[in-house]
Amino acid sequence: MQKIAELMRAKAVELLQSSKAERVLAWRAGEFFYDNAPAAFNDVDACQEIVYNEFCPANLAKYLIEATKQQKKTVVFLKPCDTYGVNQLLKDHRIKREYFYAVGTPCSGMLDVKKIKELGAKAITQITCEDNKVIVETPYGTKEFAKEEVLLDKCMMCKGNEYKIADEELGEKLEPIQFVGDRFAAVKAIEAMSAEERFAFWQEELSKCIRCNACRDICPACSCEQCIFDNQEAPVGGKAAADDVEEQLFHLIRAYHVAGRCVGCGECARVCPQGVKLGLLNLKFIKDINQFYGAYQAGEDATTPSPLVSYKENDPEAEEAVQRRG
Amino acid sequence: MQKIGVFVCWCGSNIAGTVDVAAVVEAVKKIPDVAYAVDYKYMCSEEGQKIIKDAVEEYGLDRIVVCSCSPRMHEATFRKCAESIGINPYMVEIANIREQCSWVLKDVKVATEKAIQLAKAAIAKVRFNNPLHPGQSQVVKRALVIGGGIAGIQTALDIADAGYKVDILEKEPTIGGKMAQIDKTFPTLDCSACILTPKMVDAACHENITIHTYSDLEAVSGYVGNFDVTIRKKARSVKADICSGCGICTEKCPARKTPSEFDEGLRNRGAIYIPFAQAIPKVPVIDREACLKFKTGKCGVCSIVCPNGAIDYTQEDELITEKYGAIVLATGFELIDLENYGNLGYGRSKNVITSMQLERLTNAAGPTEGHLVCPASGKEPKSVVIVSCVGSRDTSGRGKTYCSKVCCMYNAKHAMYIREKYPNVDVTVFYIDVRTPGKGFDEFQRRAVEEYGVHYVRGQVGKIMSDKEGNLTVFASDLNSGRHLMLNPDLVVLACAVKPAKDARKLASMLTASIDTNDFYVEAHPKLRPVESPTAGIFLSGMCQGPKDIPETVSQAGAAAAKVIGLLAKDKLMTNPCTAKCNEQICSGCLTCTNVCPYGAISGVEKEVVTLNGTREKRVVAVVNEALCQGCGACTVACPSASMDLQGFTNKQILAEVDALC
Amino acid sequence: MIYNYYPGCTLSTKAKELDVAARKCAEALGFPLVELPNWQCCGAVYPMAPDAIAERLSAVRALVAARDNGGVLVTLCSACHHVIKRVNDDMANVKEIQQKVNNYLGLEVPYTGETKVLHYLEVLRDVVGFENLKAKVVKPLQGRNIGAYYGCLLLRPGQVMSFDDVERPEILENFIKVIGATPVIYDMRNECCAGYMAVTDKNLCKEMVSEIQDNAADAGAGEFITACPLCAYNLLENAGATKLPVSYFTEVLAEALGLNEGGAD
Amino acid sequence: MVINNKERAEMLRQLAGTNVSLCIQCGRCSANCPVAWKMDVLPHRFVYELLNGGNVDVLLEAKSPWKCLSCFSCAERCPKGVSPAAIMEAVRLTHIRAQGNNKLNPADLENYDDKMPQQAIVAAFRKFNK
Amino acid sequence: MLKDAAKFEPKIVAFCCNWCSYAGADGAGTARKNYPANVKIIKVPCSCRVNPMFILRAFQRGADGVILCGCHPGDCHYSTGNYYTRRRMALLMSMLNFMGVAEDRFRVEWVSAAEGAKFAEVMNDFVVQITALGENVKLRDLRCKK
């Protein structure tokens, strides 16, 4: 990964110097090496601060909206999974192709520092990956974990190492993650519950929410000028009362809202400070859409219309669809 | 502060009989902003409207709620009333307390409570109503009539005579329709062809009429005043402009195994054929499925004998596009097939025939040159049984639930002209009821009995059997005498139910015209708008709307034409102002909405907009073409940011109703 | 698929030929019949009165037994088929009957018409397939003009029996073609033979059967086949001057399949 | 207890379980009945009397129900889905459900033709006896 | 306070498209085909105008049942509106099921302008169904776990 970071810096410098771009979107180190954050780099010097390691989960795609507005050609580094979000933004006409230069950036899975800490690693000083092992250095000694144990949940549903959009690719593609199981397993487990159990599950989950809006802010499909939740004219409007529709049904509405446009990146669940399993709602819609209307992956390309703005004459009726899911 | 007036109609006893209207008035008076409320016997009457107008003046009302019948009945009336006193017509809401309340409920307390709630919902909605102003759209001064039977021809002639261009679209190779097949017409017994063919010629010669025969409707888009239509002119395999209509090809064609549609299968026609002598256009057509040239590559006789070289085996279907302001459906009818009535022996014995076959058997231009014979033996019958209601008034699933309306009269006609020409032939009509309302109709039917000695037996036939020689045995009941009969007629005529043309449903889908479960087109109102489809700009003429005889069809054709003329006479149409509207300030320009608009009314336009921060910015936003938008609202739901809203049915209005009812 | 089989009372006594041939052919054609244990007589006539619950019980018991053993019930006698299929329809669609019967029987799992009732002919047509059957015919009955006699119960009411076109059936004619003979269509093939009048009004039977015999003979039939023992009885025993021979369709089937060799012919 | 005509008509309607109000009196039932020529009161009349006439005596005294073959051609070919056969059955049941009204004597069984199928005997005893 | 089950009168909102189902409801009225007063109709131009959020809002505000009626697929006055409706509502219904709330309180029915009798039948049936389910509390309680 360190090698990739070097390549990124070199590429950023090259593109800025050749005037192919005015700006670079990449990651900058945070307080610790494991809390890297998205950042914009406007000149060659600044580019030296670009970092890349197993702790760069954020998708930079959404920052391209600003680039498009400012009409500034921007270099953006995209991990394979990030490219789906870019395509979705293109499809939604929120970004324009002429204002960004996409550099495919290899990824072998991002790690979840929370998991590492939960497994007992304290005061982490260094983390290195070797094949499927993660070695964690702490003042109290070295700990070793299987990668599977400490990968981000979203990386356990990795879509592979292909870039769906890229002007060029940096270095060689890395081996795709090997622990990908059935991404709908958790959804199926809930489906198998009784109605009462399902209700109890969601009541438990959704009651944790503090309405911080992190889930919507991170989402590459949530890119409106003004969010419906902030629009008084919208059918969900009405901020005042705690018993309002918006308050009670926020997650259902949010998930429905991006149905057909959600690329399944898992970022919403990752950034939730309360650990609400809200990504399952998105996955449920993806599963239903695949099952009712045929396989569809949002962000696969920038042109195919979403299943919610298309139809077939022999689509299943609502009741039929629910039963068919079985 | 808003000033809402609520007007509660009794509709005589229709509403007041079940709803305590005074209680409704009292209840709504307590609602904030309701400045005035009153009930009256007939709000739609002039006196009722005056009450509304006076109240507006006296109380300075700015919004009106009428609790009355369905808005489909009188919304327009009350909107006009509001407009006449300076209130924007779209500031009116209707609470439907008749169809949805007094007519479906019996208990006064329950009905009154529901009426109050419906009134509350309407009041909740009207608070969010905004004045709306209809736009205008151009009217294309040309009409399309689909179907070239008597209904279509008459409609087209009436429109053309008024000075407008009109096209007739006919799927068969000739216009004329079913009336051309009929021998004589009731109640005058005059020759059908003699009165139809001059009209066919008129239509063909009319400078304002263009006829497309052997053609199908391929695609339709647009809306009232502006329909874009694609017509498929099927390949005739004969060059119409060169053909002289001499008919040599039709005589020489060696492939003669196809039953003639026009003669109801009573004789065969060639693969190249002209349906009948007076066909218009008199240009043959090659039935490619029957033609040896097309099937085997060998033959080509027609092309050899044609003196003009008009045969063209390579002709292809042609697609033509045209714009129309109005479309008339005149697609007519056909007889039901009798597959569910195997007990009647149709198809098993040639001597059991349909009424339409009888028309061809008695027609001088028919397969027997008008000699009535039994098809099996070729001999004149000695006795004929006519069976009414075959497949009509049948709710068992075998036939049609409705009365076909024309059979009683044509049965009398058939019986009469058999007796007229062959006084020795005994004719018995089995009937359930004889239904002959209409001018001179009952008199006509009575003549069959009184002057022509036709036997009318109240009863029905059961099984019809035939032996090896084709002799028929008919079991029947005679209800008036309580007897069971066994007869041996030589010919049985089945008065089959009529049904709408096969492609009626397909056309309804293409035109978004309403259609009922029997595939008859639905009129906008059964009494007050009988020749219009609920879809603006689509009109109905003839049997396609419901069973009717020729005089009725011709009247309806004229009525449909008058409606079309009324439409085409306008230069511009007021468009429905309840269109989608984009809030450009928050529109992100994602253009998801464009995917679901059936009219292509939304486009992305780069505009300078004021952002939410108050700054100006140039970006793409969705813009609705109000002339194209029909106001379905699909875009409002597709829009992720709720910047698309539907005027007249805004999110706020609908949610206000939801809140008021929950 | 398990082919639960309901022979009915007549097939185990007076119409053994119908039964024996049917079992033999079924075996040969790969759908061995499994006789329901402890079946009771269906009652021979469908009890039309909605309050006739007891009269429906034996049919329901057979249906339940079939449901619990794979869900298919094959019948052969037209009357049994008629009664069982109509009672099954009642159990599926007539709430009152469904409730009363279930209340009476006190089944562990209430019965609501789940069993699929198939006539033997339907199995031949829809499961074996006439084309496949044709391939197994070793002794085509060439030169025989056979009039299929449907009678009334096999076809009516059309909406419940949904067996074939109730006025112009063709299943037996197609069957006749498959076994190599020539079907003769005559008008009275789906008219009643006078049925149980055999017991009370022999003269009426004779009058009605004569008409059927004449009608078939006039159309060129040399013999009848039928699926109903009572039809067979009436056609034979109450015939007048015309007396075409009658056999069960399973008998001619066995003949065509070559299963009669060494049999008790 | 005296049961009036109206009540008896209602009892028959219940017992028949077919909706007579659908009847349009077309007479197809009577035309189709293969034994109509042996009947004193034709099938359509059985529907009519329960629908309008209320002359239940005519039905109860008629010989027709004892001629009816339950062949269902009347019901099958009724354009309205009414079953005159069910009314015939209701009339039969009205008779035989009353004590001592059996039409067949089990002792006669031995006189029956020995080829007579069980089916015929069971059927006849169902139709004519309680 | 728990309502007396026997006297429970459910609140039911019916969204009806103007061209088919609202006309069908008028037809039910004209033919005097009774259905309970519990059903209150909100007119929309087309079933595709009905935002799933409207339905959620109705439930959240106390509706015990919501039914959406439109033209039969293929017969939409606007050609394609109800096709979109069908997809939107299938996903909504499936999600309500997934969350263990109210999917059986929500129904989609296609009722044409000619089907007045069907309209009344559907409403009668729906009222029976909702009455049997009792008061709707789940959607309101979804985030109320203390």
Side-chain angles (χ1 to χ4, degrees), chain A residues 149-208:
Chain A
E149 289 177 281
V150 293
L151 267 180
L152 279 172
D153 284 347
K154 72 166 192 168
C155 294
M156 300 292 281
M157 299 186 290
C158 179
K159 295 187 192 72
N161 61 3
E162 292 290 328
Y163 305 102
K164 295 298 166 181
I165 185 170
D167 292 294
E168 66 174 292
E169 294 176 21
L170 220 50
E172 296 285 303
K173 285 191 179 74
L174 294 176
E175 280 294 301
I177 292 167
Q178 283 149 29
F179 321 112
V180 179
D182 177 1
R183 64 172 170 155
F184 298 124
V187 172
K188 285 176 186 165
I190 297 172
E191 285 173 351
M193 294 178 186
S194 71
E196 291 309 315
E197 288 166 341
R198 289 198 295 270
F199 179 72
F201 175 86
W202 286 113
Q203 197 180 35
E204 178 80 36
E205 283 300 314
L206 300 185
S207 296
K208 293 182 201 163

Side-chain angles (χ1 to χ4, degrees), chain B residues 6-7 36-43 45-59 61 81 85:
Chain B
V6 183
F7 301 87
Y36 180 70
V38 70
D39 57 275
Y40 182 67
K41 197 172 267 182
Y42 289 108
M43 268 311 162
S45 68
E46 212 163 302
E47 190 54 34
Q49 293 189 45
K50 190 167 178 296
I51 290 174
I52 298 176
K53 288 178 198 170
D54 290 348
V56 169
E57 301 244 323
E58 195 176 338
Y59 299 93
L61 305 177
C81 169
I85 32 163

Side-chain angles (χ1 to χ4, degrees), chain A residues 237-295:
Chain A
K239 278 260 159 208
D243 66 351
D244 232 313
V245 188
E246 183 200 331
E247 272 306 299
Q248 287 179 334
L249 303 175
F250 171 77
H251 287 284
L252 175 52
I253 297 170
R254 183 198 61 78
Y256 193 101
H257 205 66
V258 294
R261 299 187 299 125
C262 166
V263 300
C265 66
E267 283 287 273
C268 49
R270 181 181 70 84
V271 300
C272 179
Q274 295 291 96
V276 177
K277 291 181 178 144
L278 51 99
L280 292 180
L281 296 174
N282 297 55
L283 278 171
K284 166 68 178 164
F285 277 123
I286 292 173
K287 178 173 176 283
D288 279 353
I289 286 171
N290 288 348
Q291 196 171 349
F292 301 165
Y293 312 121

Side-chain angles (χ1 to χ4, degrees), chain D residues 92-124:
Chain D
R92 275 192 301 266
L93 289 174
T94 306
H95 285 287
I96 62 174
R97 282 183 180 181
Q99 210 171 11
N101 260 345
N102 281 349
K103 305 287 173 208
L104 296 176
N105 182 357
D108 290 340
L109 267 175
E110 51 193 65
N111 303 332
Y112 294 161
D113 166 5
D114 63 357
K115 286 185 186 154
M116 177 88 71
Q118 276 75 0
Q119 178 193 349
I121 299 162
V122 175

Side-chain angles (χ1 to χ4, degrees), chain E residues 109-137:
Chain E
E109 288 281 352
W110 311 123
V111 180
S112 82
E115 294 174 326
K118 179 181 173 185
F119 184 87
E121 256 169 57
V122 164
M123 293 308 156
N124 278 306
D125 185 65
F126 194 54
V127 172
V128 168
Q129 180 185 332
I130 298 302
T131 309
L133 286 171
E135 201 182 350
N136 170 32
V137 288

Side-chain angles (χ1 to χ4, degrees), chain B residues 90-118:
Chain B
Y90 293 89
M91 303 304 275
V92 176
E93 283 297 326
I94 308 288
N96 181 348
I97 62 166
R98 192 179 76 175
E99 280 83 349
Q100 287 175 20
C101 187
S102 67
W103 277 357
V104 292
L105 296 169
K106 285 183 178 144
D107 184 284
V108 173
K109 197 166 152 258
V110 171
T112 305
E113 209 170 291
K114 180 170 180 180
I116 291 168
Q117 271 197 301
L118 293 178

